[in-house]
Amino acid sequence: MGYELIDHTGDLGLKIRSVDLKSLFCEAATALFDVISDLDLIEVREEREISVVGMDNEELLVAWLNELLYLHEVERLLFRDFKIIEIGEGKLKGTAGGEALREEYHIIKTAIKAVTYHQLEVRKENGGWSGRIIFDI
Amino acid sequence: MRTDGMVYLDERMLNQIKQEQSLLQVKNVAHLPGIVGNSLGMPDIHWGYGFPIGGVAAFDLKKGIISPGGVGYDINCGVRLLRSGVERSEIRTRIKEIVDALFRNIPAGVGSRRKDLKLDEAQYRKVLLKGAEWAVKQGYGLGEDLEHIEEKGCIPGADPDLISQKAYERGRAQLGTLGSGNHFVEVGYVAEIYDQALASALGLSLDQVTVIVHTGSRGFGHQVCDDYIRVMLRAAEKYGIELPDKQLCCAPIQSPEGENYLAAMACAANFAFTNRQLITHWIRETFEQVMEIGPGKLQLQLVYDVCHNIAKIETHEVEGRKQRVCVHRKGATRSFAPNHPDIPAAYKKTGQPVLIPGDMGRCSYVLVGSQRAMRETFGSTCHGAGRVMSRHQAKKAARGRAVARELEDRGIYVRAASIATLVEEISEAYKDVSDVVEVVHAAGISKKVAKLKPMGVIKG
């Protein structure tokens, strides 16, 4: 997978790399649920449409991930399949596929309180895109 | 930088924190407009997001800013301490029974929810407006509890209309739950007394059973923080505030954005006070059931309840004159001196009780506030041990070890909702809280009263 963990004393972070901006956002979401749970155990049984706004790509990335985290916490969903339909002009539209948490089956490895703006980065480099995010856990 | 940074440390700690970015974070905070006095770091300082954990900064009400990142996601995360009329020897053989029952009665762990506490809209708003008082009125606790909570369990100025639907939804089923990470309920005993007169005034005696609760505002607070960080990113641009890190985004205290955040933060703080109050009620019930004794003999009384992630409007003496300031305490505890008007009558002579939990395997401390803290740190001190290992490093260090068994061999019975949490929270992952407490005691920003040792813990 296109990410590596950043070892932060209090919390945990991710560095993500991808070929384009849309797949960077998908990689980040996949990494988020890879940290939370075991991706291999998640099946795609339902899908949610997600729309968020943000001033720039960085804020959009945090908003997208925090929206997924919100659905995880309130509707107890685990996701593994992501698509970005459109991104630009301060808006993002995408979908997330997954299923409701089954307590006796799925595992929760890490509880994430929030995706923070600390040292946040989304940028074009070497013909691809890279991102950096720190979670509060 | 608009001011100096000042960090309370011993030499070993300094070498440790040089390896991370917390000193840079102290420096970043010193850049923010309207900062009064120094940008401060307590000895449990570690790399946070935006502000360092263990950071304290005060801002002028007219020229200064308020920053949600300076409070953190877990708004009013805090600690309360209960003392009892029971001695350690009376529960030694029953500790497993007590801890198992606590684990059943207090939901813990990721997304833990409470099925038996259903709030309608009107009640939910009252929780946000009234805090712990709401809980006591509903029968969860005693009237006298309120006197022994920072701000009497209610931060004034809360406005439930400023709370997003999302925050309401996240908090709805989480009131009365412990959560995960480093949150816990710990049954322990008074293992050592450093100042007999102070300990007596706080109702503490050697071998007495105590209970510590460490939790906060759960998903409700996380959402309030996230909602207002987005507001503040725009506000910082609007008011032309330069940010060394986006997570430090902020607005002038006396701006609509700043005032709204303070009113929303108060809602989350009151949610957290209520949460700790409800949990206290279920702790009392659990002890009564397991021990088969009444509240008269059990005497589980609240010593005090402190916030360690909060922003407060307080009056402090700055360069010889009284000034109203907004004090951000991000992983720091209030440490008000004797005779301060904001501390309960029972503690006027002692100073405000300061509660410093350690990691689950070592010990915790009770201290009191001091004049020196009023002069140097806007009445603030440390809040805990402070991590030295990342969670990932802790996992590595604990590989192949039976952490629960190791603790049990040392006389500490642990029930955790998740093995992963237990592994991440091993003692070695933290500074020794005794070293941290030694620094604040020697610096005179709080005074040691007693040491508590754990016997049983429930964790998320």
Side-chain angles (χ1 to χ4, degrees):
Chain A
M1 212 167 303
Y3 81 91
E4 56 182 290
L5 291 176
I6 302 170
D7 229 8
H8 179 295
T9 325
D11 298 302
L12 185 73
L14 298 176
K15 268 187 192 158
I16 324 126
R17 278 183 195 83
S18 199
V19 286
D20 59 30
L21 190 60
K22 281 184 178 175
S23 56
L24 185 81
F25 276 60
C26 293
E27 288 283 3
T30 310
L32 173 71
F33 282 91
D34 194 33
V35 170
I36 293 174
S37 188
D38 182 346
L39 288 178
D40 291 339
L41 298 181
I42 304 171
E43 286 175 42
V44 178
R45 293 164 190 252
E46 52 185 300
E47 202 176 79
R48 285 284 188 281
E49 280 183 17
I50 290 162
S51 298
V52 293
V53 293
M55 290 188 295
D56 49 29
N57 287 334
E58 291 174 342
E59 200 188 331
L60 280 174
L61 179 62
V62 174
W64 154 250
L65 296 177
N66 270 333
E67 183 67 23
L68 293 170
L69 211 52
Y70 171 79
L71 290 169
H72 166 60
E73 197 171 300
V74 172
E75 297 191 32
R76 316 203 88 190
L77 293 167
L78 291 169
F79 296 112
R80 63 161 294 155
D81 192 24
F82 306 94
K83 280 190 201 77
I84 302 294
I85 298 159
E86 60 172 281
I87 180 166
E89 287 166 21
K91 279 188 296 195
L92 175 149
K93 256 192 191 169
T95 61
E99 63 172 320
L101 172 79
R102 285 176 277 156
E103 280 188 26
E104 66 295 350
Y105 179 68
H106 292 119
I107 53 163
I108 298 292
K109 290 190 291 193
T110 309
I112 296 175
K113 282 183 196 160
V115 181
T116 77
Y117 295 80
H118 176 50
Q119 296 188 344
L120 176 64
E121 234 177 55
V122 174
R123 65 175 180 198
K124 227 174 178 170
E125 61 173 26
N126 304 331
W129 284 79
S130 76
R132 181 174 60 194
I133 34 180
I134 307 272
F135 302 131
D136 179 18
I137 56 180
Chain B
M1 274 170 68
R2 295 168 199 260
T3 182
D4 291 336
M6 183 160 84
V7 185
Y8 291 79
L9 297 164
D10 66 23
E11 216 174 326
R12 201 157 37 119
M13 290 168 180
L14 181 63
N15 291 329
Q16 226 158 35
I17 66 158
K18 272 184 187 162
Q19 294 163 28
E20 46 167 57
Q21 300 184 25
S22 43
L23 289 176
L24 174 69
Q25 293 187 316
V26 172
K27 184 177 156 188
N28 284 344
V29 171
H31 280 283
L32 295 173
I35 187 163
V36 176
N38 294 323
S39 168
L40 298 159
M42 297 299 130
D44 47 346
I45 190 168
H46 59 273
W47 184 15
Y49 37 88
F51 276 58
I53 314 288
V56 177
F59 295 87
D60 182 83
L61 281 200
K62 290 204 181 82
K63 297 179 217 145
I65 53 89
I66 169 92
S67 169
V71 172
Y73 286 91
D74 197 355
I75 296 167
N76 188 10
C77 183
V79 184
R80 59 166 55 188
L81 172 68
L82 304 167
R83 61 181 174 232
S84 76
V86 179
E87 284 211 350
R88 174 188 176 199
S89 57
E90 293 172 74
I91 67 161
R92 196 171 338 195
T93 55
R94 312 189 71 172
I95 189 68
K96 282 193 178 177
E97 232 182 306
I98 292 170
V99 170
D100 288 342
L102 286 171
F103 194 69
R104 279 197 304 275
N105 294 342
I106 302 164
V110 181
S112 47
R113 27 184 82 195
R114 191 129 205 135
K115 294 186 182 85
D116 57 349
L117 187 76
K118 290 264 187 288
L119 292 178
D120 62 29
E121 286 311 308
Q123 294 288 333
Y124 201 162
R125 287 174 70 91
K126 276 191 187 152
V127 167
L128 307 182
L129 282 168
K130 302 280 182 190
E133 187 193 323
W134 173 85
V136 168
K137 277 205 175 138
Q138 302 297 309
Y140 300 102
L142 313 166
E144 69 208 48
D145 291 345
L146 299 177
E147 260 300 298
H148 295 100
I149 306 176
E150 189 167 326
E151 300 288 336
K152 296 189 168 70
C154 177
I155 305 250
D159 183 352
D161 289 336
L162 294 170
I163 299 300
S164 69
Q165 201 50 40
K166 275 189 170 164
Y168 275 108
E169 287 312 316
R170 276 178 88 167
R172 193 177 297 280
Q174 294 186 355
L175 191 63
T177 67
L178 200 54
S180 65
N182 57 359
H183 294 153
F184 62 80
V185 172
E186 179 181 292
V187 181
Y189 66 98
V190 180
E192 207 174 330
I193 285 177
Y194 304 101
D195 187 311
Q196 190 56 57
L198 286 173
S200 301
L202 266 53
L204 299 174
S205 56
L206 215 54
D207 282 329
Q208 174 186 37
V209 169
T210 55
V211 184
I212 303 174
V213 181
H214 177 210
T215 187
S217 51
R218 310 283 285 106
F220 185 90
H222 309 165
Q223 188 66 44
V224 168
C225 181
D226 186 51
D227 289 342
Y228 279 88
I229 282 182
R230 292 172 66 99
V231 171
M232 294 304 188
L233 284 169
R234 284 151 186 80
E237 213 173 81
K238 175 175 159 190
Y239 297 105
I241 302 168
E242 253 180 71
L243 299 173
D245 181 352
K246 274 193 176 178
Q247 189 75 22
L248 293 173
C249 61
C250 52
I253 299 165
Q254 289 176 345
S255 66
E257 294 87 348
E259 283 166 3
N260 286 353
Y261 170 67
L262 276 169
M265 184 208 72
C267 290
N270 294 341
F271 185 104
F273 282 133
T274 310
N275 198 25
R276 293 196 287 275
Q277 184 63 35
L278 292 170
I279 289 172
T280 300
H281 174 73
W282 292 312
I283 291 169
R284 286 173 172 148
E285 267 188 2
T286 304
F287 268 82
E288 285 166 25
Q289 284 161 11
V290 176
M291 306 276 295
E292 293 171 333
I293 54 173
K297 164 88 172 75
L298 187 61
Q299 292 283 322
L300 265 176
Q301 294 165 343
L302 185 53
V303 177
Y304 206 57
D305 175 314
V306 293
C307 321
H308 56 221
N309 278 354
I310 198 88
K312 292 276 206 58
I313 310 292
E314 295 171 355
T315 304
H316 286 275
E317 212 175 286
V318 183
E319 288 165 6
R321 62 183 187 92
K322 289 213 156 111
Q323 190 177 344
R324 297 280 282 165
V325 290
C326 178
V327 184
H328 292 63
R329 295 192 183 94
K330 166 91 174 283
T333 313
R334 201 181 72 173
S335 176
F336 278 180
N339 297 315
H340 193 287
D342 290 348
I343 59 180
Y347 304 132
K348 281 279 185 253
K349 282 190 180 154
T350 61
Q352 174 219 307
V354 168
L355 313 170
I356 309 299
D359 63 81
M360 62 187 172
R362 289 187 181 118
C363 56
S364 299
Y365 285 87
V366 182
L367 299 91
V368 286
S370 70
Q371 274 307 337
R372 185 115 183 226
M374 303 313 297
R375 284 199 303 271
E376 287 184 15
T377 58
F378 298 96
S380 313
T381 187
C382 62
H383 87 304
R387 290 192 80 93
V388 284
M389 277 186 200
S390 69
R391 286 170 168 84
H392 187 65
Q393 286 170 321
K395 264 184 208 159
K396 252 192 201 163
R399 193 162 291 156
R401 286 167 45 185
V403 177
R405 184 57 205 261
E406 278 176 24
L407 287 165
E408 209 173 325
D409 289 345
R410 286 157 61 190
I412 305 160
Y413 178 63
V414 183
R415 284 292 305 269
S418 132
I419 296 288
T421 307
L422 203 58
V423 167
E424 287 166 9
E425 296 288 313
I426 51 169
S427 285
E428 308 95 285
Y430 286 88
K431 283 177 201 165
D432 188 337
V433 68
S434 302
D435 296 340
V436 171
V437 163
E438 221 39 69
V439 172
V440 295
H441 178 79
I445 55 173
S446 37
K447 190 171 193 304
K448 280 202 298 186
V449 178
K451 183 202 276 192
L452 314 175
K453 283 204 162 168
M455 298 171 79
V457 187
I458 69 165
K459 284 194 79 78

